[in-house]
Amino acid sequence: EFKENTAIVVFGASGDLAKKKTFPALFGLFREGYLSKTTKIIGYARSKMTDEELRTRLIPFFKTTTEQSKTLVADFLQLVTYVSAPYDQPEGYQKLNSIIEKFDAERNVTESHRLYYLALPPSVFITVASNLKKYAHPGDKGLVRLIVEKPFGRDLKTSRELQRQLAPIWTEEELYRIDHYLGKEMVKNMLPFRFANNFLAACWNNNFVTSVQIAFKEQFGTEGRGGYFDSIGIIRDVMQNHLLQVLTLLLMERPRSADPEAVRDEKVRLLKCIKELDPKKVLLGQYTQSEDGTKPGYLDDATVDPKSKCVTFAAMCLEVDNERWEGVPIILRAGKALNASKVEIRVQFKGTTNGMYSEVSRNELVIRVQPDEAMYLKMNTKVPGIKNETTTTELDLSYKDRYKNFYIPEAYESLIRDCLHGDHSNFVRDDELEVSWKLFTPLLNFVEGDDAPMPLPYAYGSRGPNGLNQYLANNGYVYENHS
Ligand code: BG6
């Protein structure tokens, strides 16, 4: 079976993503008993290093506290070896192939299953993908799965170009495009929450929901990585991918089955219903120095063009043109250097109709993706006691209280495991990518064009630009004293 006897090869093994995410996720799976001891893990990169040097380099990134976990780290590292080779020459891939063949022969298996994880910059992406196919594919002797990471292009044109080059080499069946938000526990909970709770079906529509908001907030700015961020911006960085994925799962229709393709079909169908966005109606911001002067503004970053109009905050209102959601504003909002680090969904319901409780607050469902996964519904109840007063309280499912002894995996752990099981549900399909770029490319062209407006300033550590509350209110969100 694929998941038992797999060679996992991490390309870009000496890079940031591999160190911070891929290897720690593989270790996490191993620690939790989800990675068999017959797995072989090979790091592959250009840097000259021995196996031992790679292992030593990885240790600080594993979260370990107890003596027992130190033994686990040692056991895990026994599985890890390293190949240093260029990306554009056949030799490295041939060597890799013979290492895997030897590993298969040692274990006496006839099938050669491989998971190739490309933790690589886009510039070498196609080179590696095509060399792998040529020199390190077992043909019909085994299965190969290829995990790839964003960016999948910069806009519709470049994304199509990438796909045009990739498609003849690797099939959609073999490709696993990661959007790590799809591996987060609360995001994975979206399908059971939506479709395993029938009471929701009655109110999950424009008869009862008045607005939906998906907010991404980070407390830190670009902190020296501005040079990289400057050509990306917050819209491309987290909205076109992560937030749009959350939106899709929140609003799509029920898939006809649990089959991964059925799930992805529904996602695409929903995406196609989102109306074209008017770029001029998007609230754009860029952070300036914090009020107390201790934190730098975006333009103070030495690696950033001092005239940069790069967007570090955006709020936009999308409309889903189908029978269920027509008329309901769907707000996406994301920013760096804000007052908190939080990802949250807020679904507001209509207020009560006239009558005895017409004055109470409206119901609001909050789904907190991070930190501290939680779901709570603001509802009105009688204040306990002799008087007939009402108050707004919360029906609260906080994971840290309810699921105290449960292990909540890191997003990457969850996704690598899905891939080992051949489950594509939580990976981005080619047509999904196409529709999401189609939606966002006009906005990106606008904010990056010659006539782009200067984004509105907001202080590092604030809630965002001044007009934010008004913007939310104009788009149907009733603000009730929360950050
Ligand atoms: C990445 C973005 O995709 O997601 C980063 O490139 C961002 O800029 C990160 O910080 C957020 O991920 P998480 O899991 O920390 O919410």
Side-chain angles (χ1 to χ4, degrees):
E1 204 183 346
F2 189 91
K3 58 184 189 285
E4 285 302 320
N5 290 302
T6 305
I8 301 177
V9 187
V10 181
F11 290 86
S14 56
D16 238 32
L17 179 69
K19 259 184 339 205
K20 292 186 182 152
K21 300 289 183 191
T22 321
F23 281 108
L26 290 170
F27 171 65
L29 287 175
F30 181 78
R31 187 191 56 221
E32 300 303 313
Y34 294 119
L35 204 63
S36 108
K37 293 205 165 75
T38 57
T39 308
K40 184 165 187 63
I41 300 173
I42 305 168
Y44 187 116
R46 280 179 300 207
S47 320
K48 293 253 173 301
M49 258 193 294
T50 61
D51 295 348
E52 214 37 56
E53 277 165 342
L54 174 67
R55 292 177 187 143
T56 315
R57 202 192 251 241
L58 296 177
I59 293 173
F61 296 91
F62 299 155
K63 285 182 211 127
T64 51
T65 44
T66 62
E67 279 309 309
Q68 190 205 8
S69 48
K70 288 201 180 116
T71 319
L72 271 173
V73 170
D75 289 349
F76 172 75
L77 289 177
Q78 283 309 305
L79 308 179
V80 180
T81 58
Y82 181 68
V83 173
S84 152
Y87 291 125
D88 55 355
Q89 308 286 323
E91 290 77 18
Y93 302 92
Q94 287 160 339
K95 183 172 168 196
L96 178 70
N97 198 45
S98 64
I99 293 173
I100 300 175
E101 281 175 355
K102 191 160 157 257
F103 161 70
D104 292 335
E106 277 163 14
R107 286 167 309 123
N108 229 349
V109 292
T110 48
E111 291 176 322
S112 184
H113 299 319
R114 302 158 188 211
L115 168 56
Y116 293 144
Y117 193 122
L118 272 51
L120 290 170
S123 52
V124 288
F125 189 77
I126 293 293
T127 310
V128 174
S130 58
N131 279 316
L132 274 176
K133 183 64 183 275
K134 260 192 240 151
Y135 304 110
H137 198 292
D140 52 13
K141 278 200 8 237
L143 292 173
V144 184
R145 293 179 184 150
L146 195 71
I147 295 188
V148 293
E149 284 272 352
K150 84 171 164 87
F152 309 119
R154 296 183 44 80
D155 52 22
L156 184 58
K157 190 162 152 250
T158 47
S159 162
R160 276 184 177 162
E161 177 56 24
L162 185 66
Q163 192 45 34
R164 195 188 58 78
Q165 295 184 40
L166 202 56
I169 322 176
W170 294 93
T171 64
E172 225 14 63
E173 188 59 32
E174 292 168 311
L175 276 179
Y176 289 75
R177 292 184 196 84
I178 282 206
D179 181 312
H180 78 285
Y181 266 58
L182 291 175
K184 290 186 187 273
E185 186 62 33
M186 261 310 171
V187 179
K188 278 197 143 180
N189 184 39
M190 213 57 78
L191 290 186
F193 168 68
R194 293 271 325 275
F195 302 117
N197 295 297
N198 207 24
F199 82 94
L200 263 188
C203 61
W204 209 248
N205 56 47
N206 54 8
N207 290 328
F208 291 91
V209 173
T210 54
S211 87
V212 173
Q213 190 181 152
I214 303 171
F216 168 102
K217 301 170 94 173
E218 270 182 354
Q219 241 168 340
F220 40 88
T222 53
E223 335 291 54
R225 283 177 68 237
Y228 157 79
F229 191 81
D230 214 44
S231 65
I232 307 277
I234 195 78
I235 297 168
R236 192 180 276 117
D237 195 34
V238 303
M239 299 179 102
Q240 174 266 344
N241 36 48
H242 307 329
L243 297 197
L244 196 61
Q245 286 291 346
V246 174
L247 176 152
T248 310
L249 289 168
L250 192 70
L251 305 181
M252 69 194 229
E253 297 299 310
R254 187 179 63 195
R256 64 188 182 280
S257 73
D259 176 68
E261 297 317 320
V263 173
R264 301 201 290 182
D265 286 347
E266 277 314 327
K267 291 174 76 179
V268 173
R269 222 188 304 274
L270 187 280
L271 286 172
K272 286 184 174 164
C273 292
I274 302 179
K275 274 197 197 163
E276 223 173 279
L277 182 68
D278 181 353
K280 296 206 176 69
K281 291 194 181 152
V282 177
L283 185 70
L284 304 168
Q286 186 186 79
Y287 67 88
T288 56
Q289 201 180 49
S290 62
E291 261 165 33
D292 64 4
T294 58
K295 298 282 188 185
Y298 178 72
L299 297 182
D300 298 330
D301 188 326
T303 60
V304 163
D305 169 5
K307 290 205 187 71
S308 171
K309 291 178 179 174
C310 180
V311 172
T312 64
F313 176 99
M316 62 187 75
C317 179
L318 299 176
E319 289 171 78
V320 177
D321 200 5
N322 66 11
E323 204 177 352
R324 183 186 291 277
W325 296 115
E326 190 187 345
V328 180
I330 316 290
I331 300 166
L332 294 190
R333 160 185 168 198
K336 299 243 172 208
L338 296 177
N339 61 339
S341 282
K342 205 192 282 189
V343 176
E344 217 170 51
I345 300 164
R346 289 179 176 265
V347 179
Q348 276 195 340
F349 293 86
K350 273 188 188 164
T352 47
T353 46
N354 286 342
M356 60 192 302
Y357 297 119
S358 55
E359 301 295 308
V360 297
S361 304
R362 52 183 65 206
N363 295 128
E364 181 168 327
L365 172 74
V366 182
I367 302 174
R368 192 162 64 230
V369 175
Q370 64 189 39
D372 296 332
E373 295 81 358
M375 222 183 235
Y376 52 93
L377 178 66
K378 293 191 186 182
M379 51 184 288
N380 301 302
T381 56
K382 182 176 143 342
V383 180
I386 214 154
K387 286 195 272 179
N388 275 329
E389 276 171 352
T390 58
T391 184
T392 304
T393 183
E394 286 159 6
L395 195 61
D396 183 5
L397 169 60
S398 284
Y399 277 34
K400 69 176 180 351
D401 300 330
R402 184 67 57 93
Y403 294 130
K404 256 190 220 97
N405 302 318
F406 285 72
Y407 175 66
I408 299 187
E410 291 291 324
Y412 279 91
E413 293 173 13
S414 191
L415 292 175
I416 293 174
R417 184 168 145 79
D418 282 353
C419 176
L420 287 169
H421 283 249
D423 183 349
H424 267 105
S425 317
N426 293 305
F427 293 86
V428 184
R429 203 167 66 184
D430 51 357
D431 50 350
E432 231 178 311
L433 199 59
E434 167 92 10
V435 195
S436 64
W437 279 123
K438 230 182 227 168
L439 184 67
F440 276 92
T441 298
L443 174 61
L444 290 166
N445 288 342
F446 174 74
V447 302
E448 290 167 358
D450 294 339
D451 301 328
M454 190 63 205
L456 301 170
Y458 62 96
Y460 195 124
S462 66
R463 286 185 68 243
N466 269 337
L468 177 63
N469 282 355
Q470 194 54 50
Y471 184 86
L472 297 179
N474 292 349
N475 287 295
Y477 187 77
V478 180
Y479 182 69
E480 301 213 38
N481 220 12
H482 56 72
S483 59

